Amino acid sequence: MTTSSAVPAPATSAWRLLTPPHPASLDDADAWAYRGIAELHVTANKADLGNADGSPTPIGILVGMNNQDYMRKLRQIAVVDTPAGPQVVGTALVFLHVHSNPELAISFVVVHPEHRRQGIGAALARWVQGSARAEGRTTLLASIDFGPDRPAGETLTPASGSGEIAADLPGVLLAQKLGLTLQLVERRSRVDLPVLPEAVSRFEAEARAVAGDAYRVHTWTAPMPEEWIEQYAALEQALSDDEPRGGLEVESDVWDADRIRTEDATIAAKGDQYVVTAAEHVATGKLVAMTMLQWNDLQPEHTNQQSTVVLKAHRGHRLGMLVKAVNLREHARLRPGAQRIYTWNNEENPHMLAINIALGFVPAGGSADFQGPL
Ligand SMILES: CC(C)(COP(=O)(O)OP(=O)(O)OC[C@H]1O[C@@H](n2cnc3c(N)ncnc32)[C@H](O)[C@@H]1OP(=O)(O)O)[C@@H](O)C(=O)NCCC(=O)NCCS
């Protein structure tokens, strides 16, 4: 008898670890590994989080591996051999900052739901530790995503007291086995579209009334206008410097104009698109606030909120709400078919959370950052 399932039963699967080949293009025969990693994320996210929206695309993985100037990436996969060829059943990714955080390694490990509890996660975690140590890194940060359902049993809360994660999630158990402790919980929020245009207009009008004539709003799509690149980089730098990080031992990263240009090239290579709204302080000609929404038409249903920042000296003028409301309006015009937007907020960032809640964002799971010595 033959079976129609492409996934061998766990008891019979013999897996092995390997470094995925890096193809020049997704048309190459070697692209099976990146395609397999993307497929694995879709399967695991559906099982663990209830939807696959946060999954990387094969082109996103390829372009990410081609661009290592600011963040180096090391990868390992677990495969089982099937009559159709190797199937990716586990993946590990290590991020290494190039211009900051020389001691830090950031890791993501995922195992196919039908191949768990066979030691694949532990083997990938050992590879993570070994490769991070070989790179001279001394501290490991592991992120664990969780879904929207409230945990039924025991939960863990970071020392700062904000946010929680179910204590019995497999990822939590593995992180603890590696000697890592919970330091920060980030909330994922979702707003279903459309946000009523009247509501967006009201938020915009209220924010404009407070901000007054001192600020002028600019909205653009890719490419980043040359006149704003330096200032946009300064805003990203301010965000990196200010972001609350709970108990994480992580330094801010380095943002300069070259990095913005590199990011822009990466976004274009992935086929991503974005819309930015920024606020200029009229008296000085400086950008003092910005927000970005980014999407890919390969994933037509959802859009991701990227950075939002208001410089400290300009807070309290409703600029966060202003740039977000204008950007939402512009996004609705550019991408009328999108059904939802996701955003990530640190549980320790009440001002940003308050703006998102006012705009209609609701909790949709999150991620927990564990850290410990290597
Ligand atoms: C976490 C994950 C990678 C584990 O993969 P796996 O292949 O099942 O892991 P292993 O079989 O190698 O188990 C490794 C250890 O994790 C812990 N663990 C994982 N799942 C567990 C479960 N369901 N019950 C109890 N312990 C579990 C145990 O400590 C286990 O070691 P032990 O078997 O010696 O007790 C997998 O469940 C997954 O992909 N989860 C979603 C992504 C995620 O949370 N990643 C974060 C990793 S830090």
Side-chain angles (χ1 to χ4, degrees):
M1 200 183 83
T2 56
T3 166
S4 61
S5 168
V7 180
T12 58
S13 67
W15 51 269
R16 61 197 159 88
L17 297 192
L18 61 116
T19 304
H22 181 69
S25 113
L26 289 178
D27 298 328
D28 287 13
D30 269 356
W32 64 268
Y34 289 176
R35 289 188 188 280
I37 294 171
E39 222 171 281
L40 164 61
H41 279 286
V42 168
T43 306
N45 282 343
K46 281 186 184 160
D48 296 334
L49 311 177
N51 71 71
D53 285 349
S55 312
T57 57
I59 186 70
I61 296 171
L62 175 66
V63 170
M65 295 304 286
N66 278 337
N67 289 278
Q68 311 230 6
D69 293 350
Y70 290 84
M71 194 68 100
R72 283 180 53 223
K73 291 144 206 135
L74 314 175
R75 283 188 180 272
Q76 194 72 3
I77 52 176
V79 300
V80 294
D81 291 305
T82 76
Q87 185 200 351
V88 178
V89 296
T91 174
L93 170 60
V94 174
F95 284 111
L96 305 168
H97 285 275
V98 175
H99 302 286
S100 69
N101 290 285
E103 288 162 2
L104 178 68
I106 302 173
S107 76
F108 295 88
V109 172
V110 179
V111 173
H112 191 293
E114 292 173 39
H115 294 263
R116 290 182 183 167
R117 304 303 283 133
Q118 299 178 57
I120 299 176
L124 287 169
R126 276 195 299 277
W127 171 84
V128 164
Q129 290 174 313
S131 15
R133 279 193 201 110
E135 293 284 342
R137 307 287 160 144
T138 55
T139 171
L140 181 64
L141 188 163
S143 275
I144 299 162
D145 291 341
F146 56 88
D149 298 336
R150 272 199 65 78
E154 207 185 314
T155 60
L156 298 179
T157 293
S160 64
S162 301
E164 59 177 2
I165 182 169
D168 61 355
L169 276 184
V172 171
L173 298 167
L174 176 55
Q176 287 174 329
K177 192 173 172 163
L178 299 176
L180 313 181
T181 50
L182 178 60
Q183 301 298 343
L184 182 71
V185 176
E186 290 179 84
R187 185 192 297 191
R188 188 184 200 205
S189 305
R190 186 197 74 237
V191 68
D192 290 323
L193 299 176
V195 178
L196 287 179
E198 307 85 72
V200 176
S201 300
R202 198 181 68 242
F203 284 124
E204 183 184 340
E206 284 169 9
R208 275 192 200 274
V210 178
D213 295 337
Y215 301 95
R216 187 161 40 216
V217 163
H218 302 273
T219 298
W220 64 80
T221 52
M224 198 64 69
E226 193 57 39
E227 63 171 312
W228 295 128
I229 287 187
E230 290 276 353
Q231 296 198 39
Y232 193 87
L235 288 172
E236 286 280 14
Q237 186 68 59
L239 177 63
S240 182
D241 291 344
D242 293 351
E243 207 168 22
R245 296 194 183 86
L248 287 177
E249 281 177 37
V250 176
E251 306 167 353
S252 52
D253 205 6
V254 176
W255 283 92
D256 54 21
D258 275 349
R259 183 164 187 178
I260 300 297
R261 288 191 187 93
T262 305
E263 292 278 322
D264 234 29
T266 306
I267 284 170
K270 285 181 188 173
D272 281 6
Q273 300 176 63
Y274 63 76
V275 57
V276 167
T277 295
E280 176 192 2
H281 183 231
V282 177
T284 56
K286 291 271 183 252
L287 289 190
V288 297
M290 64 82 162
T291 188
M292 177 190 269
L293 289 165
Q294 186 173 334
W295 64 89
N296 191 305
D297 285 336
L298 292 172
Q299 295 171 318
E301 291 189 358
H302 78 278
T303 288
N304 291 311
Q305 172 70 55
Q306 305 291 349
S307 303
T308 300
V309 61
V310 180
L311 289 187
K312 269 189 186 147
H314 296 270
R315 291 187 189 158
H317 300 279
R318 295 274 205 288
L319 294 179
M321 180 59 90
L322 178 60
V323 293
K324 281 214 154 189
V326 172
N327 220 37
L328 272 182
R329 175 159 52 75
E330 198 54 17
H331 174 264
R333 194 180 66 78
L334 293 165
R335 214 179 186 226
Q339 295 176 21
R340 50 195 173 270
I341 299 176
Y342 288 103
T343 187
W344 288 88
N345 290 114
N346 204 304
E347 285 283 5
E348 292 162 37
N349 193 349
H351 300 299
M352 200 66 251
L353 271 175
I355 292 177
N356 288 332
I357 290 166
L359 287 167
F361 281 87
V362 294
S367 94
D369 291 339
F370 285 71
Q371 190 172 19
L374 268 164

